[in-house]
Amino acid sequence: GNHWGYTTWDEYKDEHWVIDALLMNISCGGCLNLGVGPKGDGSWPEEVVTTLNKVGKFNKLNSEGIYATRAIAPFYNEQAYFTSSKDKKTVYAFVKNEFDKFEIPSEFAEYKNVTDIKGDNLEVQNNIVNLDNYKSEDFKVRMIKLEK
């Protein structure tokens, strides 16, 4: 929501907003701190529980590209957010679902092996990754791995 404490009129952020904020922050080397609290009677607002469960599902599914990663320039662009493994051998790109083709930034030209979250190879031609058949049904982004 938009308040530091519980209010009956608060408008809660949905999972897409929270995930976008998370990816923006981790791609730049930061973290995300969410301020959520219980209602006056001690129970949790259902909207908060639902959003946190969905964000938790996203984090679990994409944990390799989220936890123990590092920022890597260009950090993000119109199509995706980027993180890297500590040893810089893998770049994780969180590509927005609205793009069926993903152009690998020139900074990552040396990363030739491109796979989806399951490890299946993705078609790449002239540094363009074909994502026609790879979309997230639950989230507005999907993670791909670029490896040296």
Side-chain angles (χ1 to χ4, degrees):
N2 294 316
H3 298 90
W4 287 103
Y6 176 74
T7 61
T8 56
W9 61 87
D10 211 351
E11 294 179 23
Y12 296 104
K13 309 292 191 265
D14 67 12
E15 72 274 12
H16 304 295
W17 186 96
V18 175
I19 290 167
D20 191 63
L22 172 69
L23 294 174
M24 173 65 79
N25 281 281
I26 65 170
S27 70
C28 294
C31 60
L32 181 65
N33 182 19
L34 295 175
V36 296
K39 298 191 288 188
D41 65 4
S43 66
W44 291 91
E46 188 59 38
E47 302 94 321
V48 170
V49 172
T50 299
T51 295
L52 292 177
N53 281 332
K54 289 177 180 178
V55 172
K57 180 180 175 183
F58 177 85
N59 286 348
K60 184 175 183 180
L61 181 67
N62 298 286
S63 60
E64 184 181 347
I66 295 173
Y67 300 111
T69 58
R70 304 292 186 264
I72 189 165
F75 311 114
Y76 59 90
N77 65 21
E78 172 184 276
Q79 292 186 303
Y81 298 100
F82 307 102
T83 61
S84 78
S85 59
K86 187 176 181 179
D87 61 10
K88 304 256 191 263
K89 290 182 180 177
T90 304
V91 169
Y92 304 94
F94 293 89
V95 183
K96 298 172 186 175
N97 271 352
E98 63 199 74
F99 296 99
D100 292 330
K101 307 280 187 241
F102 169 64
E103 183 174 353
I104 298 172
S106 59
E107 294 90 342
F108 307 140
E110 64 192 279
Y111 295 83
K112 298 296 183 190
N113 186 30
V114 181
T115 59
D116 65 16
I117 199 167
K118 296 178 286 185
D120 295 332
N121 289 324
L122 294 170
E123 178 188 341
V124 181
Q125 292 183 346
N126 300 320
N127 282 340
I128 305 292
V129 182
N130 182 357
L131 297 172
D132 286 335
N133 297 318
Y134 180 48
K135 295 223 187 285
S136 172
E137 297 199 15
D138 296 323
F139 307 107
K140 292 185 177 181
V141 296
R142 70 275 205 197
M143 187 181 82
I144 63 172
K145 292 171 56 173
L146 311 168
E147 296 177 289
K148 288 185 179 180

